[in-house]
Amino acid sequence: MKIVTTKTMKEMDRIAMEEYHIPGVVLMEHAAMAVKKHVDLVADKNKHIVILCGPGNNGGDGFALARLLKQDGYEQVMIFCNVPFEKMSHDEKIYAAIAGSYHIPIYQSEDLKEVKKMFASADIVIDALFGTGLSRNIEGFYDQLILTLNTMHKYVISIDIASGINGDSGAIMGCGIQATKTVSLVCYKPGNVMYPGSAYCGDVVVEDIAMPQEIIAKSNGNEVMDDDLIASFLPKRQAHSNKGSYGKALMIGGSMRMHGALAMCAKAALSSGIGTLTIALPSSIHAIMAGKMEECMLLPLSDEDGYFSEKSAEELKDQLDLFDFVTIGNGMGRGKGANALVELVLKSNLPCILDGDALYLVGKHPEWLKRKAPTILTPHPKEMSYLSARKLDDVLNDPMEVVQTFLKGYGNITLIYKNEHTIVCNKAFSYMNLAGNNALAKGGSGDVLCGMLCGLYGQSKDALKSACCAVYVHARCADELIKAKDYNAILAKDIIEESSHIYKELRNRQ
Ligand SMILES: NC(=O)C1=CN([C@@H]2O[C@H](COP(=O)(O)OP(=O)(O)OC[C@H]3O[C@@H](n4cnc5c(N)ncnc54)[C@H](O)[C@@H]3O)[C@@H](O)[C@H]2O)[C@@H](O)CC1
Ligand SMILES: Nc1ncnc2c1ncn2[C@@H]1O[C@H](COP(=O)(O)OP(=O)(O)O)[C@@H](O)[C@H]1O
Ligand SMILES: [K+]
């Protein structure tokens, strides 16, 4: 399953119509059939269904749905449409004419009291006002209509995307319909899975509209992570192997204030299959970590006030060659010592995973990222803002644009943009994770993710696949944990424990 931008979706529609000679009304008919399935799930034939139709093909889907419902014996179907016939899209006109022939009532009004009455009588409201063609903020009567509907807490099914939501960014364009469910056509659109749009779209289901599979396969878009995809990415463990087969990792991080971040990262790496793990840490936390960690080696470096001192990079320099790759950043702080270590690591030829404070530090020296070795960055929105030197609002409003523009400037970078729906991408491929929940919105869960990534990268040495596996398994753990525990009570360490079950489940699919 893919997530495609509205531009790509329009291009797919064009190819279907012009190159595959599928008339637009055929696609529209299938769109209506797909939505009807979801009406059938919740409505009896005597329920009162109000379909709001706008000026474009989204409205056309609404008119087509009205015919199908009527045809199937739904007794109380009505359309609300304030668009004059001559201003409708070409295919919408066809279905509007058909709806007229079926004597489906088409109601038109700009009187809010009347509209409120109409909504009050509805059991289900279908939102076919705007789809991927929304091009400007919603104002005037549509704004009033939407706000009125939202106050009435009706069961609302949006077609393609909740009207008012920007299909590409999820931003609210003036106002947005609060849908119970959204039937997204052919693919997900970024706007129906990304906040705040996701909160308006309700439960999102993707339905086929007889779009040729070839067109979908060739389209540009984020692949959505699922069990089968991630099982195929999960590194295999061979009978004839030894610890050297699964990666020699150097993990650099920690400070007197934040040794927990490092410990969780290390534990997650160990539980995610790393061959050997050596932790470079400020000497002041050596004893603490030695008490916590048994399966890894410790490499204390010189310390100043509980943080790495500037000398620590010099001490580590000659030892870097002993390792296959480095993970750096967790709990290390942003001082001069940490800065020197990030510089040392990025100027080496080793593959490198950067997390936490290392992302902040490299944001001040983006030239360090111009390197050939694989580099995996794991920013949350604020860290993405440091890295890209863009405003936090820009990142939040259109992360895909910010991330892709950022990647263009560098070579071998894989980026994990962490958020409610995390994106994993490099210049050529892009994946989105829709699993997970707000139990992960707690200090420490990012450290666990970084550790999982370390363990998986060590095994496969494939940046993109290991990043996808780490993100997905991490999120699936949270989804599994909330079945038995409350969101409040799930701790980062629980994710590490749960990961064993999720790895096993995915491995059984291999
Ligand atoms: N052949 C196709 O292109 C298909 C399209 N489909 C449906 O068509 C939708 C896309 O259709 P369209 O491209 O016609 O776009 P929309 O139906 O989303 O609306 C476009 C129309 O809305 C107007 N508009 C945009 N923003 C507005 C605003 N803020 N206030 C008032 N008017 C505004 C535009 O001027 C244009 O007339 C999809 O979301 C999907 O539901 C499906 O029927 C499948 C096939
Ligand atoms: N509301 C949420 N829903 C799903 N996942 C979330 C949510 N909030 C945070 N996460 C996930 O939790 C992790 C938090 O990482 P980060 O912010 O780096 O935490 P930390 O500072 O503890 O390391 C990321 O993987 C992120 O995708
Ligand atoms: K809609």
Side-chain angles (χ1 to χ4, degrees):
M1 194 71 74
K2 273 189 170 166
I3 302 189
V4 300
T5 61
T6 57
K7 192 171 158 212
T8 302
M9 194 62 240
K10 276 182 196 237
E11 178 60 7
M12 288 162 76
D13 286 338
R14 188 199 64 75
I15 296 172
M17 290 186 282
E18 290 179 14
E19 297 177 20
Y20 285 69
H21 310 290
I22 303 171
V25 285
V26 170
L27 298 173
M28 203 168 260
E29 182 78 9
H30 279 86
M33 283 157 53
V35 180
K36 182 174 176 293
K37 273 197 329 199
H38 293 274
V39 176
D40 290 339
L41 288 176
V42 288
D44 305 327
K45 299 281 160 69
N46 61 355
K47 292 291 184 212
H48 189 161
I49 299 170
V50 172
I51 305 178
L52 308 176
C53 293
N57 288 335
N58 196 255
D61 296 342
F63 277 106
L65 172 67
R67 180 189 81 84
L68 289 179
L69 292 171
K70 190 80 181 176
Q71 180 86 29
D72 194 30
Y74 280 85
E75 291 155 16
Q76 301 190 72
V77 179
M78 68 167 285
I79 290 164
F80 178 89
C81 183
N82 271 1
V83 185
F85 186 78
E86 62 281 6
K87 292 212 167 152
M88 290 179 180
S89 75
H90 176 270
D91 291 348
E92 183 179 30
K93 278 184 184 151
I94 295 173
Y95 278 106
I98 295 174
S101 315
Y102 272 68
H103 305 296
I104 298 167
I106 303 179
Y107 183 58
Q108 188 180 358
S109 171
E110 291 220 345
D111 180 338
L112 273 181
K113 272 194 194 143
E114 291 299 315
V115 164
K116 206 164 182 177
K117 264 195 225 157
M118 172 184 79
F119 287 142
S121 69
D123 296 302
I124 293 177
V125 177
I126 307 294
D127 157 30
L129 284 178
F130 303 106
T132 52
L134 183 75
S135 54
R136 55 191 185 275
N137 271 12
I138 292 183
E139 292 170 345
F141 183 71
Y142 282 124
D143 175 70
Q144 298 300 311
L145 179 81
I146 290 174
L147 296 178
T148 305
L149 174 61
N150 286 352
T151 61
M152 303 195 60
H153 308 291
K154 291 287 166 179
Y155 191 98
V156 179
I157 300 180
S158 285
I159 303 184
D160 214 15
I161 187 158
S163 295
I165 301 305
N166 181 307
D168 292 324
S169 67
I172 304 157
M173 311 263 292
C175 65
I177 283 195
Q178 185 61 64
T180 315
K181 183 185 256 186
T182 293
V183 180
S184 185
L185 306 173
V186 187
C187 296
Y188 288 100
K189 318 298 172 305
N192 48 36
V193 296
M194 292 177 80
Y195 190 78
S198 55
Y200 281 76
C201 290
D203 295 333
V204 181
V205 288
V206 178
E207 291 286 359
D208 182 28
I209 60 165
M211 176 68 68
Q213 283 304 322
E214 221 175 20
I215 300 181
I216 302 174
K218 282 187 188 160
S219 65
N220 285 328
N222 286 325
E223 201 68 48
V224 176
M225 298 177 199
D226 61 22
D227 284 357
D228 287 333
L229 181 82
I230 299 305
S232 75
F233 285 181
L234 194 65
K236 293 198 168 71
R237 293 183 77 90
Q238 310 294 345
H240 298 294
S241 60
N242 58 56
K243 62 189 176 194
S245 319
Y246 301 118
K248 277 192 210 170
L250 173 65
M251 183 174 284
I252 306 172
S255 58
M256 197 50 128
R257 250 188 94 212
M258 292 174 289
H259 45 82
L262 181 63
M264 279 185 291
C265 186
K267 284 178 184 168
L270 291 166
S271 303
S272 294
I274 192 66
T276 69
L277 179 65
T278 300
I279 305 179
L281 71 186
S283 56
S284 60
I285 61 167
H286 183 194
I288 300 172
M289 288 295 284
K292 288 189 197 188
M293 310 294 310
E294 283 168 347
E295 296 89 347
C296 54
M297 288 156 274
L298 299 178
L299 178 54
L301 299 176
S302 61
D303 183 298
E304 193 177 332
D305 299 330
Y307 291 91
F308 286 115
S309 83
E310 270 186 279
K311 277 190 265 164
S312 53
E314 203 49 43
E315 289 164 13
L316 186 63
K317 201 172 171 187
D318 295 336
Q319 306 198 48
L320 275 186
D321 285 348
L322 300 172
F323 303 99
D324 295 340
F325 71 103
V326 180
T327 299
I328 184 163
N330 305 83
M332 79 192 300
R334 299 171 179 184
K336 287 185 180 160
N339 191 64
L341 284 163
V342 173
E343 181 176 10
L344 172 75
V345 165
L346 286 177
K347 287 188 173 167
S348 78
N349 294 323
L350 291 177
C352 194
I353 299 169
L354 270 75
D355 193 34
D357 293 322
L359 295 168
Y360 171 83
L361 293 167
V362 82
K364 305 264 176 218
H365 296 279
E367 69 280 5
W368 294 347
L369 289 174
K370 296 206 184 253
R371 63 198 304 264
K372 290 208 177 88
T375 309
I376 311 180
L377 307 175
T378 62
H380 56 53
K382 190 122 190 268
E383 290 161 345
M384 190 66 227
S385 142
Y386 301 142
L387 279 172
S388 58
R390 300 276 296 267
K391 285 191 199 124
L392 181 59
D393 276 352
D394 289 353
V395 177
L396 293 170
N397 286 338
D398 199 349
M400 308 283 254
E401 186 275 319
V402 173
V403 164
Q404 287 302 338
T405 308
F406 170 78
L407 286 175
K408 275 187 200 143
Y410 299 98
N412 201 353
I413 291 187
T414 299
L415 196 133
I416 301 180
Y417 171 73
K418 295 184 298 197
N419 212 339
E420 183 194 352
H421 298 312
T422 293
I423 300 166
V424 175
C425 55
N426 59 21
K427 272 187 193 158
F429 298 97
S430 190
Y431 297 88
M432 187 177 264
N433 170 48
L434 302 182
N437 59 67
N438 66 41
L440 293 173
K442 283 187 194 145
S445 59
D447 301 307
V448 170
L449 175 71
C450 181
M452 293 170 94
L453 174 61
C454 170
L456 293 161
Y457 181 78
Q459 296 175 75
S460 70
K461 310 289 191 303
D462 183 316
L464 192 70
K465 287 183 179 171
S466 55
C468 287
C469 287
V471 165
Y472 186 73
V473 171
H474 183 251
R476 284 273 276 100
C477 287
D479 285 343
E480 206 51 42
L481 286 163
I482 55 153
K483 291 180 184 167
K485 286 187 165 188
D486 185 64
Y487 295 93
N488 287 344
I490 295 167
L491 302 181
K493 66 178 176 139
D494 299 330
I495 300 164
I496 303 176
E497 205 178 305
E498 185 61 33
S499 66
S500 158
H501 303 126
I502 305 294
Y503 284 132
K504 188 133 189 88
E505 204 183 301
L506 293 172
R507 205 175 295 288
N508 288 340
R509 286 175 176 262
Q510 285 186 323

